[in-house]
Amino acid sequence: MDYFAEQTFTKVTTSEFIKADYNDCIFENCNFAEQDLSGYQFSDCEFRDCDLSNVKIHQAVFRDVVFKNCKMIGVNFEDCNQFNISFRFNDCILDHSSFYQLDVRKTVFKNCTMREVDFTESNLSNSVFDHSDLLNAVFERSVLDGTDFRNAEHFSINPNQNQLKKTRFSKDNLMGLLDQLNIVIE
C-alpha cells in the first residue's frame, strides 16, 4: 500500500485519490460524497471543509483524526476498522450517521449538528457534546459514564436504558432525561 506523510490535499475527489496510508496529512475542500474509502488509512490527519456524506468506509482506519467544518451525513462509522479508533468533530454536520456499537470514548463533538444519529450500544464514556444538536439521536444501551452533555441541545436519553455514572448535565437541559416519563414541568 502506498504511503503519504505530511502532505496537504486540496479540492481532490476520489477519482484523483488513491487507496493508501495517510499520516499527518491535511485534506481541504475535498469532495468524497458517495465515494468508497474502504481500506484507506488515516492517522493524525485533519479534514477541513470536506464533504464525506454517505461515504463508504468499510475497514477504513481513523486514528487521531480531526474533522473541521465537514459535511458527513449518513456515515456508518461502525463499518470502519475499530482498532484504536479515535477522532474529533468540530462544526460538522453528522445527521443520520451511525456509531452503532462503537467504543469511541473521549470523543469530542463541538458545535455539531447530529440529528437522528444512532449511538445504540456505543461506549461514549468521557465524551463531550459541546453545543451540539442531538435532535432525535438514539441512545439505547449506551455507556455514557462521565460524558458531558451540559451544553448539548435537544437530546432525549432514557436513564433506565443507558449507563449514566457521573454523566454531566446542566440544570437547563435536564428535560432531555425526563422525556421518557411523559410528565409536564412548568
Side-chain angles (χ1 to χ4, degrees), residues 11-61:
K11 295 184 179 179
V12 297
T13 61
T14 49
S15 60
E16 309 164 310
F17 194 51
I18 62 170
K19 186 184 293 188
D21 183 353
Y22 295 90
N23 189 19
D24 200 23
C25 292
I26 296 172
F27 302 91
E28 293 181 316
N29 296 302
C30 298
N31 185 358
F32 300 125
E34 309 281 340
Q35 301 301 313
D36 190 350
L37 298 182
S38 297
Y40 285 63
Q41 296 182 27
F42 304 99
S43 299
D44 298 304
C45 292
E46 187 171 313
F47 289 81
R48 300 176 187 159
D49 302 301
C50 295
D51 188 350
L52 294 121
S53 296
N54 297 309
V55 69
K56 292 171 187 62
I57 54 172
H58 182 72
Q59 289 302 309
V61 172

Side-chain angles (χ1 to χ4, degrees), residues 47 65-72 87-94 99 106-114 119 124 126-134 147-153:
F47 289 81
V65 174
V66 176
F67 297 96
K68 289 184 178 179
N69 200 39
C70 291
K71 184 177 177 183
M72 306 176 77
F87 26 58
R88 176 184 179 102
F89 302 92
N90 296 322
D91 302 301
C92 292
I93 300 171
L94 291 153
F99 293 83
K106 299 181 181 178
T107 300
V108 174
F109 302 93
K110 184 173 183 173
N111 299 319
C112 293
T113 302
M114 307 178 73
F119 291 107
L124 292 152
N126 299 306
S127 292
V128 177
F129 292 91
D130 186 17
H131 293 95
S132 291
D133 181 355
L134 293 160
T147 302
D148 189 345
F149 288 97
R150 289 178 297 167
N151 295 312
E153 299 174 337

Side-chain angles (χ1 to χ4, degrees), residues 157-164 176-178 180:
I157 298 171
N158 185 335
N160 295 320
Q161 291 184 358
N162 296 283
Q163 189 171 313
L164 299 170
L177 291 173
L178 303 173
Q180 312 297 322

Side-chain angles (χ1 to χ4, degrees), residues 19 29 37 58 80 85 109 120 144 165 171 175 179:
K19 186 184 293 188
N29 296 302
L37 298 182
H58 182 72
C80 67
I85 185 173
F109 302 93
T120 301
L144 304 170
K165 293 179 184 169
K171 62 182 177 180
M175 289 300 297
D179 288 343

